[in-house]
Amino acid sequence: MFEILVGLQVKDDATYAEYRAHMLPLLKAHGGSFIIDMRVSEVLKSPEDKPINRLFSIRFPSVEQHDAFFAHSEYKAVRAKYFEPSVAETSRIARYQVLT
C-alpha cells in the first residue's frame, strides 16, 4: 500500500466541500481512501513555510493507482473547478509505503 500526507490552507470551505464530494467517487474507483482527515487549529512545526488548516492522508493499493488517479482527466477537471479556487496553499508532507 502507498500513502500520501498533505497539509492544506483551505480558504473557501464550501467550495472545498464540493471538491471533496466530486472527487471521492473517482478516488474510490482508483482504490483510494482517506485514512486521516482533520482540521488543524495550531501548527507548531511544518516542513514548509506555508500555513495549514487541514491535514489528511490518502491510501492507495499501489503507487500506480495513486499516479493513475492524479493523472485522470476527470480528476483534473474536478481539481481545476473546485480545488484550485478553494485552496490557498498545499504542503506535500510525505509519500510512503505502508507496512502491514
Side-chain angles (χ1 to χ4, degrees):
M1 288 183 278
F2 180 75
E3 202 166 296
I4 59 173
L5 180 63
V6 179
L8 300 177
Q9 180 67 26
V10 175
K11 62 182 180 180
D12 179 345
D13 285 325
T15 304
Y16 184 73
E18 286 291 317
Y19 162 73
R20 281 299 202 57
H22 285 85
M23 65 80 80
L24 196 54
L26 299 169
L27 179 67
K28 288 180 180 180
H30 285 86
S33 62
F34 285 95
I35 303 302
I36 296 171
D37 187 12
M38 61 183 73
R39 295 180 195 275
V40 177
S41 63
E42 182 181 13
V43 177
L44 301 175
K45 182 167 175 52
S46 178
E48 297 182 28
D49 189 25
K50 295 178 182 179
I52 295 172
N53 61 9
R54 293 290 293 261
L55 182 70
F56 63 89
S57 65
I58 301 177
R59 183 176 293 169
F60 293 89
S62 68
V63 174
E64 293 77 17
Q65 285 168 291
H66 163 275
D67 294 347
F69 169 72
F70 285 104
H72 196 278
S73 61
E74 193 174 345
Y75 170 75
K76 287 182 177 182
V78 167
R79 181 181 171 88
K81 184 173 183 179
Y82 300 107
F83 182 90
E84 291 174 12
S86 67
V87 175
E89 299 283 352
T90 301
S91 297
R92 290 171 182 83
I93 298 168
R95 297 168 43 109
Y96 44 90
Q97 279 307 125
V98 177
L99 304 176
T100 56

